[in-house]
Amino acid sequence: MKLTSFKRALWVFHVATGSCNGCDIEIVAALTPRYDVERFGIRLVGTPRHADVLLVTGTVTRPMAERLRRIYEQTPDPKAVVVVGGCGATSGVFYESYNVVGPVDEIIPVDVYVPGCPPRPEAIIDGVVKAVAKLERLEAGEKV
Amino acid sequence: MADKTFEIPIGPVHPALKEPIRFTFQVEGERIVGVDIKPGFAHRGIEFMGLRRNLIQVLYLAERICGICSISHPIALTQAVENAAGIEVPPRAQYIRVIVSELERIHSHLLWAGVAVHELGFDTLLHLTWKVRERVMDILEELTGNRVDYAIPIYGGVRRDITPEQYPLVREMIRYYRGLFEELADRLLNDASIRARTRGVGVLTPQEAEALCAVGPTARASGLRKDVRQDWPYLVYGDFGVKAITPEDYGLAPQGDVYDRIIVRLLEVAQSIDIIERCLEEMPEGEITSVPKVPALLAQLKKAEGEGIGRHEAPRGEVIHYIALEAGKEEPVVWKVKAPTYSNLMPWVPMFRDQEIADIPIIAASIDPCMCCMDRVYIVRDTVEREVWKEELLRLSWGKTDRIRSRIAGRSLRAAEAEHGGA
Ligand code: SF4
């Protein structure tokens, strides 16, 4: 396998739209020394306006749907969306509720799904790397 | 003259709990004069969903109320149901429940310490605490099969035993954390800047804590000796004589500020380690569940009639589950959950009063709510909305630490000069 470096540092914005926090703490774990994604140039940023990738956790609750849509629109192109966790991908255990309008792909387009409840930090990193591949293809002018 | 009070709404993202949050601060200049709190944004309707599922499915829902307290809710729920249905829990299972919930307390408090120092701008310490936290995550994974969401309690017992090969691993972890305690305490409690940013900040008096029903470390830091494990012992906690920890146990009079909340959580990590060690020593052999077959369990639960309450001291404070069962029904007829942060919301109001805007992140974090509530801020000024993201608020907080740090450095420089005066 040929190893190449990413063409750029990847900035990630994390949105929680009704998660149980399980996935969110695993994302933080991915940032801290054991997994340390910053060595790949991946870092969390505080606003979607600076982000290349959106990490979305949790099924979407009714009040969060509009906010998720807005955050997606505020993220500059080219962008990729990674859903972390089973409940963001399929709603998981949160079905048949009056306040759940998710899963995430009902609200915004999703590029990568990371399954697990919650996924391990390694899996989250893998998801973000898949998103990089998409961004690089987009930047090369390919249609994805 | 138009009044000089501005409003700063913060929120509403707050994913961890059933009670997500939006703050609206009234500020005069830098000073906070009032705060309004509005929960409800991450409400998933978990209790509603629970009333449409059988009790075993409800257990999985309970576990996903909060990923950080992913054993606290199941422990409270199983106790409520066992109460209602009259199901016994074998002693070994009780010990295992206690071990896993104390492991959870360790991971949760270390997580909190990291988040809190991050709010102050000490990212080196954030990385240190999260690095040492991985050790307890390894043990949780070893014992339960998952790092988060352990699926350990089931009605009548637990789903996994602790094998003889696992004992030494847990003991090793105990030694590891004991060896670290001094260092962690020194970094967190003796650092001049941390002390300057947390002493006298976000004070909650014991009277207020009592009147507003604060729970968990938030109440204990104000000097209230209040802990479910001490006041209403359950499982095997009664045998251990667990005592609620306050800053007095560290030799200091409680002041109810953020610094005291650090002390209490740090001491509780040590306390949890002691409890786990005792459990390993005293845990008897035997069954791990009284109804091993799930279909038989479901049938027994379907016949049960009655109501039950389960309470547990989660890392953030008391969690209560109430359940009512009706014979012939697989699903509960009532399920009500009260998570600890719900009780700790109102204490925020006195904590924020008269504090600076730059102290919002650390005070908000000090009760250990879910951190993500601070995702963004809108400043409403003359009805023009301007977005302020969490980053800006953090910058304010970090700036304040920097100012304090240079002041401390300046002072010690001057002190050094005075010492060497003449030289
Ligand atoms: S996937 Fe599981 S751990 Fe992640 S937010 Fe959803 S319920 Fe929580």
Side-chain angles (χ1 to χ4, degrees):
Chain A
M1 192 179 84
K2 193 165 142 268
L3 284 177
T4 51
S5 58
F6 300 147
K7 293 207 181 67
R8 56 148 120 191
L10 207 67
W11 285 15
V12 176
F13 182 71
H14 164 212
V15 216
T17 53
S19 66
C20 80
N21 226 19
C23 287
D24 311 82
I25 56 176
E26 291 296 71
I27 290 175
V28 183
L31 296 169
T32 49
R34 159 106 39 115
Y35 303 98
D36 192 16
V37 290
E38 281 209 32
R39 69 201 148 124
F40 306 125
I42 302 172
R43 66 176 293 236
L44 275 197
V45 289
T47 147
R49 293 180 204 276
H50 297 160
D52 304 299
V53 172
L54 285 184
L55 274 189
V56 189
T57 56
T59 180
V60 185
T61 62
R62 197 173 294 281
M64 289 311 297
E66 186 44 41
R67 291 175 168 94
L68 178 59
R69 216 171 278 128
R70 249 170 36 209
I71 288 171
Y72 180 77
E73 280 157 12
Q74 286 172 353
T75 315
D77 283 321
K79 61 188 158 200
V81 176
V82 180
V83 165
V84 175
C87 74
T90 65
S91 273
V93 292
F94 307 120
Y95 52 87
E96 288 176 1
S97 164
Y98 52 87
N99 217 32
V100 170
V101 295
V104 176
D105 55 12
E106 295 277 325
I107 315 293
I108 58 171
V110 175
D111 300 296
V112 181
Y113 298 89
V114 184
C117 186
R120 295 183 59 91
E122 293 97 326
I124 300 175
I125 299 173
D126 186 51
V128 174
V129 169
K130 294 228 159 66
V132 182
K134 178 198 164 180
L135 284 178
E136 289 189 347
R137 285 205 303 279
L138 274 180
E139 278 179 350
E142 255 178 66
K143 283 224 165 61
V144 191
Chain B
M1 214 187 96
D3 79 75
K4 286 177 283 177
T5 318
F6 292 113
E7 290 210 331
I8 311 181
I10 297 183
V13 184
H14 190 311
L17 311 150
K18 292 168 70 274
E19 301 89 18
I21 285 294
R22 179 184 190 120
F23 296 106
T24 310
F25 289 100
Q26 285 93 42
V27 296
E28 270 179 35
E30 280 292 310
R31 204 169 61 90
I32 301 167
V33 291
V35 57
D36 191 19
I37 300 165
K38 175 176 185 245
F41 290 91
H43 178 78
R44 287 157 291 175
I46 287 188
E47 290 153 353
F48 175 85
M49 290 185 261
L51 300 187
R52 274 146 199 83
R53 303 192 191 171
N54 77 39
L55 276 167
I56 292 189
Q57 293 171 312
V58 173
L59 199 49
Y60 288 88
L61 268 178
E63 189 165 68
R64 281 154 187 80
I65 291 173
C66 173
I68 304 181
C69 297
S70 54
I71 191 160
S72 300
H73 286 284
I75 283 198
L77 173 66
T78 45
Q79 285 189 87
V81 171
E82 284 152 6
N83 235 316
I87 299 176
E88 290 289 320
V89 184
R92 187 171 176 87
Q94 299 192 19
Y95 277 94
I96 294 176
R97 283 187 189 175
V98 168
I99 291 177
V100 181
S101 50
E102 295 306 320
L103 287 170
E104 177 176 271
R105 194 178 319 276
I106 298 174
H107 106 66
S108 175
H109 281 355
L110 288 174
L111 174 152
W112 175 83
V115 169
V117 291
H118 168 74
E119 305 289 3
L120 296 176
F122 276 93
D123 277 358
T124 11
L125 204 45
L126 157 75
H127 289 298
L128 178 80
T129 47
W130 277 67
K131 181 182 144 230
V132 302
R133 172 177 171 270
E134 283 296 327
R135 191 61 181 263
V136 61
M137 300 308 279
D138 286 344
I139 295 296
L140 279 167
E141 188 178 9
E142 171 70 35
L143 299 186
T144 69
N146 208 2
R147 287 164 52 92
V148 180
D149 288 348
Y150 323 109
I152 281 297
I154 187 150
Y155 312 111
V158 293
R159 291 181 58 243
R160 259 181 201 238
D161 203 351
I162 296 183
T163 62
E165 305 84 66
Q166 287 169 333
Y167 282 62
L169 300 175
V170 182
R171 292 215 168 90
E172 187 133 339
M173 178 208 79
I174 292 175
R175 270 198 300 281
Y176 173 75
Y177 281 122
R178 288 226 170 102
L180 262 176
F181 187 79
E182 286 292 306
E183 184 187 347
L184 272 184
D186 185 48
R187 299 270 168 100
L188 284 165
L189 299 177
N190 295 341
D191 183 283
S193 332
I194 292 188
R195 197 189 308 234
R197 284 298 313 273
T198 55
R199 252 303 173 221
V201 172
V203 174
L204 182 71
T205 64
Q207 294 77 17
E208 286 162 343
E210 184 119 51
L212 297 172
C213 303
V215 293
T218 309
R220 295 195 280 274
S222 296
L224 301 190
R225 292 212 179 259
K226 180 172 170 184
D227 188 318
V228 189
R229 294 171 297 171
Q230 160 196 293
D231 303 333
W232 290 271
Y234 52 101
L235 299 176
V236 283
Y237 282 120
D239 304 346
F240 296 161
V242 179
K243 287 268 165 299
I245 285 180
T246 75
E248 278 166 16
D249 299 300
Y250 192 67
L252 295 175
Q255 301 186 17
D257 54 11
V258 178
Y259 188 79
D260 280 351
R261 283 168 219 141
I262 304 180
I263 299 181
V264 167
R265 290 201 176 89
L266 199 65
L267 295 187
E268 285 184 12
V269 170
Q271 182 187 39
S272 295
I273 289 171
D274 294 344
I275 295 177
I276 296 170
E277 190 174 46
R278 268 195 73 175
C279 285
L280 288 182
E281 275 161 22
E282 295 173 12
M283 186 159 67
E285 294 295 321
E287 289 298 316
I288 56 164
T289 163
S290 53
V291 198
K293 296 248 166 13
V294 173
L297 180 61
L298 267 179
Q300 185 173 348
L301 289 171
K302 197 172 169 181
K303 276 188 263 151
E305 168 117 21
E307 47 181 6
I309 278 192
R311 45 209 300 185
H312 171 64
E313 184 72 25
R316 287 153 190 73
E318 179 184 38
V319 41
I320 303 179
H321 281 232
Y322 167 82
I323 201 119
L325 306 176
E326 235 173 65
K329 279 198 167 170
E330 283 202 323
E331 58 280 343
V333 284
V334 184
W335 177 31
K336 181 71 207 145
V337 182
K338 189 209 68 86
T341 299
Y342 189 78
S343 311
N344 284 338
L345 289 186
M346 282 302 121
W348 254 337
V349 176
M351 280 183 210
F352 279 121
R353 199 167 295 132
D354 285 330
Q355 304 291 311
E356 282 178 36
I357 297 177
D359 291 325
I360 292 176
I362 184 64
I363 299 177
S366 74
I367 70 158
D368 198 3
C370 171
M371 151 72 183
C372 311
C373 61
M374 306 289 281
D375 260 26
R376 52 179 185 281
V377 181
Y378 286 85
I379 290 195
V380 186
R381 190 169 184 165
D382 305 333
T383 70
V384 186
E385 287 204 1
R386 181 167 80 88
E387 279 179 19
V388 183
W389 293 88
K390 181 185 165 187
E391 229 169 41
E392 199 165 324
L393 210 57
L394 273 182
R395 252 198 311 278
L396 276 176
S397 172
W398 296 349
K400 185 169 173 189
T401 306
D402 281 344
R403 285 199 303 281
I404 286 180
R405 205 185 279 152
S406 52
R407 232 176 15 239
I408 293 171
R411 211 184 295 141
S412 50
L413 211 63
R414 277 197 297 280
E417 275 166 11
E419 237 173 65
H420 299 286

